Amino acid sequence: MKIALIGSGRVATCMGPQLKAAGHTVECVYSRTMDNAMQLARMLDTRALDSLESLPEADVYLTMLTDDALTELAPAIVKGRGDALFLHTAGSVPMDIWKDAGARRYGVLYAMQTFSKGATIDWAEVPVFIEGSSAADLETVRILASGLSARITLLSSNGRKKLHVAAVFACNFANHMYAVSEDLLRSEGVPFSVMLPLVRETARKVETMSPASAQTGPAIRGDRKVIDEHLALLRDYPGYARLYRLISTEINNNLK
């Protein structure tokens, strides 16, 4: 398929090469910033564009934009492009944003993974969630998705939104806790690397048991003495203390 990539950020940088490796032709890379478009375009051996009016003819216009940018640019992306298929890769944006923008054929290609430029992604392990405006369009999206991963699931926009919330808890919030841990350790001159065996074992356990069953620590034990001692140590970190208190309460509530 001929694909126009719209966006040059982390998702595009990770997904674009994989789509090309699957045999699709990347016709161009669009970004509002030409330097950003050129960086990815060079990687994909294609054209860099900073004007939506210059987008070439393609079978699929695949957007990898922030939610706000997608909402703003969707009408201009669709305008005058007839029967092409329009897809976005966002977790929380409904498929019908394309319908509202005037598209006749549209869908979603959402890869649930955390992406960073330069990171190596094991695409075989990445779950991909898809939607399509018709059976034929869904099949086209499935073909594209199969070039990324074999773990493909049909999921509605509402289901994908809840999935995205769950991913924020499992990934973004968990990573923030690592940052908090790193900050506390830094004040004592201890590197965060000491936490890595604990992080790995915690992740390993939830591959074989439910997260609720894997929970350990003072909150699940209801150990008020230790909790109070920890809160006393966090007196100079009021934000962290609020987090500690809130999460401990939530963990303890799961016992009831």
Side-chain angles (χ1 to χ4, degrees), residues 1 12 14 59 68 77 88 100 110 114 119 122 137 143 152 159 167 179 186 188 205 220 248 250:
M1 270 178 266
C14 293
D59 301 312
D68 287 344
I77 294 168
H88 72 67
D100 296 341
Y110 173 56
T114 176
D122 182 0
D137 293 336
I143 291 169
I152 302 168
R186 188 184 296 117
E188 299 300 322
K205 282 200 298 185
I220 199 73
S248 293
E250 284 297 309

Side-chain angles (χ1 to χ4, degrees), residues 90-112:
S92 292
V93 179
M95 175 176 69
D96 284 351
I97 190 173
W98 292 120
K99 182 179 179 181
D100 296 341
R104 292 192 288 272
R105 301 177 57 224
Y106 49 89
V108 175
L109 179 66
Y110 173 56
M112 194 181 69

Side-chain angles (χ1 to χ4, degrees), residues 157-173:
S157 289
N158 284 337
R160 180 166 33 84
K161 188 172 288 189
K162 186 171 286 188
L163 177 81
H164 193 237
V165 173
V168 167
F169 274 97
C171 175
N172 308 131
F173 289 175

Side-chain angles (χ1 to χ4, degrees), residues 104-132:
R104 292 192 288 272
R105 301 177 57 224
Y106 49 89
V108 175
L109 179 66
Y110 173 56
M112 194 181 69
Q113 182 55 279
T114 176
F115 295 104
S116 298
K117 289 185 178 181
T120 300
I121 301 295
D122 182 0
W123 280 98
E125 293 295 317
V126 177
V128 179
F129 297 86
I130 63 173
E131 273 189 285

Side-chain angles (χ1 to χ4, degrees), residues 16-65:
Q18 189 69 14
L19 289 170
K20 182 178 179 182
H24 302 293
T25 302
V26 179
E27 293 290 320
C28 70
V29 173
Y30 162 86
S31 173
R32 284 171 164 170
T33 305
M34 179 55 84
D35 285 347
N36 293 343
M38 287 178 66
Q39 286 181 33
L40 182 54
R42 279 195 292 267
M43 188 186 304
L44 298 174
D45 191 24
T46 191
R47 288 177 285 176
L49 303 173
D50 61 0
S51 167
L52 290 175
E53 294 179 356
S54 302
L55 288 175
E57 184 176 329
D59 301 312
V60 178
Y61 292 86
L62 180 58
T63 64
M64 303 172 181
L65 303 169

Side-chain angles (χ1 to χ4, degrees), residues 48-229:
L49 303 173
D50 61 0
S51 167
L52 290 175
E53 294 179 356
S54 302
L55 288 175
E57 184 176 329
D59 301 312
V60 178
Y61 292 86
L62 180 58
T63 64
M64 303 172 181
L65 303 169
T66 65
D67 293 0
D68 287 344
L70 176 56
T71 300
E72 176 189 346
L73 297 179
I77 294 168
V78 170
K79 186 178 179 181
R81 297 197 165 90
D83 289 329
L85 180 63
F86 297 89
L87 304 178
H88 72 67
T89 57
S92 292
V93 179
M95 175 176 69
D96 284 351
I97 190 173
W98 292 120
K99 182 179 179 181
D100 296 341
R104 292 192 288 272
R105 301 177 57 224
Y106 49 89
V108 175
L109 179 66
Y110 173 56
M112 194 181 69
Q113 182 55 279
T114 176
F115 295 104
S116 298
K117 289 185 178 181
T120 300
I121 301 295
D122 182 0
W123 280 98
E125 293 295 317
V126 177
V128 179
F129 297 86
I130 63 173
E131 273 189 285
S133 55
S134 69
D137 293 336
L138 182 62
E139 177 60 17
T140 301
V141 181
R142 189 198 63 75
I143 291 169
L144 276 175
S146 68
L148 300 172
S149 172
R151 301 182 63 182
I152 302 168
T153 302
L154 172 62
L155 191 66
S156 70
S157 289
N158 284 337
R160 180 166 33 84
K161 188 172 288 189
K162 186 171 286 188
L163 177 81
H164 193 237
V165 173
V168 167
F169 274 97
C171 175
N172 308 131
F173 289 175
N175 188 73
H176 179 65
M177 297 305 167
Y178 299 156
V180 170
S181 175
E182 182 180 43
D183 189 33
L184 293 171
L185 292 171
R186 188 184 296 117
S187 67
E188 299 300 322
V190 179
F192 180 71
S193 58
V194 302
M195 290 291 171
L196 294 180
L198 179 62
V199 169
R200 294 189 190 106
E201 177 60 13
T202 303
R204 187 200 64 77
K205 282 200 298 185
V206 297
E207 293 189 14
T208 58
M209 65 178 75
S210 76
S213 298
Q215 188 69 56
T216 61
I220 199 73
R221 297 194 305 267
D223 193 335
R224 191 71 245 176
K225 182 176 181 293
V226 171
I227 290 171
D228 288 343
E229 288 175 351

